[in-house]
Structure formats: structure tokens, C-alpha cells
Amino acid sequence: MSAFNKKSILEIQKKLKIGSNNPVTEEATKQWYIMPLLVALGYDPYSSDIIPEFTLDVGTKKGEKVDYALQINNQPVALIECKQLNVALSEKHISQLYRYFTISDVNIAILTNGDDYWFFTDSQKENVMDLEPYYTIKLSDASDEDIDKFELYSKETIKYVEVSNLVQYERFQRECKELAHALRTNNIPAWLLDTLIEKVGLFDADKPTLAEYLYTEIQNEFNGYKIDKKDKKNNKSSDNKSSLGIKMRATMEENKKNISNIKLNHEYVYNDYSDGDWRFHTLDYAIIMGVRYDNITGKSLLINVISELFKQNKINRTALLNEEQFGGNKYYKISDHGGFRRAYYFDKYDIYVSTSYGIDGIISFIEKLLKYANVRDDEVKISFKA
């Protein structure tokens, strides 16, 4: 079931192109087009691979449901919000998916009407979905190459793709090209002038004159510099290789190598990545300050670390609440009152703890806690079973 089946996707495309007897409801769209595509991507609809009506709590609304969550080893890796075929995807639908994404632990979200597929991630701020899709595909018009890109989201490969990092890299590339073009055509960005002015401490700067001077210096520096035909050919080839899909594949292959080195039934210090990236492996148990906890998850690891620190008198409520570093940042927050996102309440100690519950946020939080409590990192160890 886990193999990517391109032939099945081509059959779905053929049905879309014919366009006869199209579904007239969202549920029919899911059954006729979306679920068959997920099966073609290798997900088993009769297992925990696909969770229909995945429940999330959004703000004051409890029990909000996204149409599908895709899971690997019982951990959500993508959310899918579905609309009826031929319904134009809009900002309203993006806003709906945005709410779901913010309280989830995934970094891929997909909005689809069975034909149009819009892919989103959190490339600008962690756990906050970008409002613009990083990639779109219209299946009925998709080329053979476009259909191949669906494989990146198959069960076999999706866990190896770090989409947000790759999108950030692509954005950096675009910014570099735009800056280079602006410098070459004497359209000096205001922010660059402001940075240079601040750096040298100029007062009452004449920006047009400074911009002209900078342009002259750029011309002098690169005067006579030419790229020969061979270099142009190489640069063109390099541009082609920098496409998002190819970068995703390269990163995926590298992550596969890293993940394959993880030892099962072996105790790692919780922040030891020396054998590779283990974020999509399934935790088995943890040893926390000499106490074993079975059937552990990332979230329960953090909760049990905090509980054990309290039990062994390494931390106390008053000092913890007064510690400035736990007052709140993008990874974690400790407070004596609730009302903030994804807060977990420790009834025995009367404190609320919030974190993104993504693995990076959890590891960062534990590192800070252990350092604060003067506890060695090797007092927290974890083992994987899959």
C-alpha cells in the first residue's frame, strides 16, 4: 500500500478531464477524487495513515475538525481541507486552514477541491501558516512532471521533506536576485541605504546622492566583468537544479540517510542527534532522572520532565514563575494562569505550561529547564521502537 502509484493518479486526471457526472457535494468529491489520490500516494485508508474528521481545538471553539490528517507512525505530518469540485479555492478557505494549522504539529497543509491542490507551510514563522501557497497544482492540467511531484507527499517520502526550510531558501534566492537586479539597474533599495547610513553614523544624509555614489562604485567594481557562454550555460543549469522540487528530493534523500542510522532499543540522551534526525521515529520509553516512563510521546516527555523536576525538588513554583526566561517566547511559556494557546495545566503545582509541541520546541524547552535546574542532559534519555 505504501508505494507511489502514478498510474492511478493519471486515471484520476483522466476522469477530471472528461468532466462527466461530476460530484455535486464535498463528500462525493472526497470519495471520488481526493481519497483515491491519497491511496495512490501510498496511504492506507483502513489504518491510522488517514484520519478523517481530525479533531482540533481552535480558540474558544472546541472540536473543530479538518477533513483529513495524514499520519506516519501515528504522528500527524499533514492536514488536508477539502472543498467540492469546481468550488474556487479562496482566502476564506485559506483562513479556515490557517486556524487548523496553528494548533497542530504539522508543517504541511493542503487545500483542495479534488482538482486544484494548494500546498502551504510555515516558512515565515514557526507554527504559523503562510497565507500564500508555496506550490499549486491543477491536476486536470498537470504535466507528467507535475504529477511526479506528488510523490514528494507520498507515505514513503513525506516524512523526509523539510518544506519550510526549502521554501525559506527559495525566498532567499529570490531576494538575492531582486537585490542584484536593483543594484545593476540603479534602483538602490531604501533599506540598504538606511543600513549603510546607520553603520557609518551619517546625519542629514542626502539619500539620492548616496544612492548615485553607491551605483557608481558598483559599476567601477564590476566594470568589464562578463560571463562567457560556458558560464551562462552552467548558471542556467544551476538555476534549473535549484527548483523547489529538486531541492526537496535532495533534502529527502539526505534525511533518509540520517534517519536510517537511528538505533532502535537504544538509549539516547534526549538532545543527541549524532545518529541523525529522529523526529519521525516512534518513541518507546524515557528514563528521566532515574525513573522510567513507558509509551512516551514528545509532549508527554516534556510533561514528565517537568513533573520529575518538581518531585525531586529541582524546581519550585514561585521561583519558576519569577524566572524571566520562561515568561514566554515562540517555543515556551510558564504561567500561573491559562488563556494562552495549547496550555497544559499541572494541577498539583498550579501552573500552566505552553509550547508548540513540535519536537524542536520541546527539545529547546527541556534544555532550558535542565540548565535552570542544574541537571545534566544525560539525566534524560529516550529510546525508539520504530
Side-chain angles (χ1 to χ4, degrees):
M1 181 66 72
S2 62
F4 173 67
N5 190 334
K6 183 176 179 180
K7 181 179 178 181
S8 294
I9 297 178
L10 290 171
E11 290 173 356
I12 297 169
Q13 183 187 51
K14 184 178 179 180
K15 287 171 59 179
L16 286 166
K17 285 182 175 181
I18 294 172
S20 61
N21 195 28
N22 279 333
V24 294
T25 66
E26 179 183 307
E27 194 60 36
T29 300
K30 290 193 283 187
Q31 291 179 15
W32 294 8
Y33 292 112
I34 299 171
M35 181 60 76
L37 186 134
L38 297 180
V39 172
L41 294 178
Y43 298 97
D44 183 353
Y46 304 107
S47 74
S48 62
D49 290 357
I50 305 173
I51 306 298
E53 299 295 302
F54 187 69
T55 303
L56 296 159
D57 291 333
V58 182
T60 57
K61 295 183 178 181
K62 305 299 181 182
E64 290 279 318
K65 295 179 179 180
V66 64
D67 289 302
Y68 296 118
L70 300 182
Q71 296 198 137
I72 304 294
N73 293 331
N74 294 313
Q75 297 185 55
V77 294
L79 302 179
I80 304 175
E81 180 63 19
C82 306
K83 301 302 168 187
Q84 182 185 331
L85 185 68
N86 295 327
V87 169
L89 303 183
S90 66
E91 289 184 4
K92 177 184 177 181
H93 304 140
I94 294 174
S95 177
Q96 185 180 7
L97 188 58
Y98 177 95
R99 298 199 316 271
Y100 300 148
F101 187 100
T102 304
I103 59 168
S104 71
D105 292 330
V106 306
N107 72 344
I108 297 174
I110 302 169
L111 179 63
T112 181
N113 59 12
D115 188 9
D116 297 289
Y117 284 81
W118 293 5
F119 296 84
F120 298 84
T121 188
D122 54 350
S123 68
Q124 299 187 49
K125 186 176 181 182
E126 187 180 21
N127 293 119
V128 178
M129 190 184 87
D130 302 341
L131 295 179
E132 294 288 334
Y134 66 85
Y135 189 65
T136 62
I137 297 178
K138 189 174 186 65
L139 185 53
S140 59
D141 295 335
S143 65
D144 197 63
E145 182 182 356
D146 288 332
I147 291 176
D148 284 338
K149 291 177 182 177
F150 272 108
E151 187 177 4
L152 297 169
Y153 306 95
S154 70
K155 181 179 178 180
E156 288 187 339
T157 60
I158 192 171
K159 60 185 177 181
Y160 304 119
V161 179
E162 296 178 4
V163 174
S164 58
N165 290 343
L166 293 164
V167 173
Q168 289 168 345
Y169 181 81
E170 288 248 316
R171 186 181 297 119
F172 179 78
Q173 273 194 323
R174 289 197 300 272
E175 291 292 332
C176 288
K177 289 180 179 179
E178 289 175 8
L179 176 58
H181 179 75
L183 295 177
R184 184 175 62 81
T185 57
N186 197 17
N187 291 302
I188 310 299
W191 64 263
L192 179 58
L193 282 178
D194 290 340
T195 300
L196 293 172
I197 289 168
E198 182 179 354
K199 182 176 181 179
V200 300
L202 279 175
F203 297 97
D204 298 322
D206 182 351
K207 289 186 178 180
T209 300
L210 293 176
E212 191 61 37
Y213 178 78
L214 177 57
Y215 178 61
T216 300
E217 287 300 309
I218 291 168
Q219 285 185 309
N220 290 339
E221 182 68 24
F222 294 101
N223 185 35
Y225 177 76
K226 294 181 179 180
I227 302 176
D228 62 29
K229 291 182 179 179
K230 183 177 180 182
D231 286 338
K232 283 184 178 180
K233 183 178 180 181
N234 290 338
N235 285 341
K236 185 177 181 181
S237 174
S238 176
D239 286 342
N240 290 337
K241 289 179 180 179
S242 68
S243 69
L244 179 62
I246 292 174
K247 285 199 200 76
M248 290 171 82
R249 290 181 185 278
T251 303
M252 175 186 73
E253 292 303 321
E254 182 60 30
N255 285 347
K256 278 185 179 180
K257 294 176 185 176
N258 288 340
I259 292 178
S260 65
N261 292 328
I262 295 297
K263 302 181 186 73
L264 303 184
N265 305 311
H266 173 81
E267 292 181 1
Y268 286 94
V269 175
Y270 74 97
N271 57 358
D272 177 9
Y273 292 95
S274 60
D275 283 341
D277 188 344
W278 43 258
R279 73 183 69 191
F280 289 110
H281 282 275
T282 303
L283 286 163
D284 184 11
Y285 66 87
I287 304 294
I288 303 172
M289 299 169 66
V291 181
R292 176 168 171 142
Y293 291 85
D294 290 311
N295 300 316
I296 207 80
T297 65
K299 180 178 178 179
S300 64
L301 175 66
L302 172 63
I303 291 170
N304 288 318
V305 165
I306 294 173
S307 295
E308 207 58 50
L309 288 172
F310 270 114
K311 290 177 186 176
Q312 300 196 26
N313 297 316
K314 299 295 183 181
I315 56 176
N316 68 77
R317 180 180 184 276
T318 301
L320 200 60
L321 291 173
N322 290 329
E323 183 62 32
E324 184 176 348
Q325 65 176 312
F326 299 128
N329 63 27
K330 70 175 183 177
Y331 285 126
Y332 40 74
K333 179 182 178 72
I334 297 176
S335 174
D336 60 355
H337 59 275
F340 50 92
R341 186 167 62 90
R342 285 193 264 185
Y344 179 87
Y345 180 57
F346 286 81
D347 182 51
K348 185 174 181 179
Y349 308 108
D350 190 27
I351 63 166
Y352 292 85
V353 173
S354 175
T355 181
S356 67
Y357 291 125
I359 195 65
D360 293 332
I362 289 169
I363 295 303
S364 178
F365 201 169
I366 293 174
E367 285 177 337
K368 292 288 186 182
L369 283 165
L370 295 186
K371 185 176 180 180
Y372 167 73
N374 197 28
V375 174
R376 299 192 317 271
D377 284 337
D378 62 8
E379 290 283 352
V380 178
K381 294 184 178 181
I382 55 178
S383 182
F384 303 92
K385 60 184 176 182

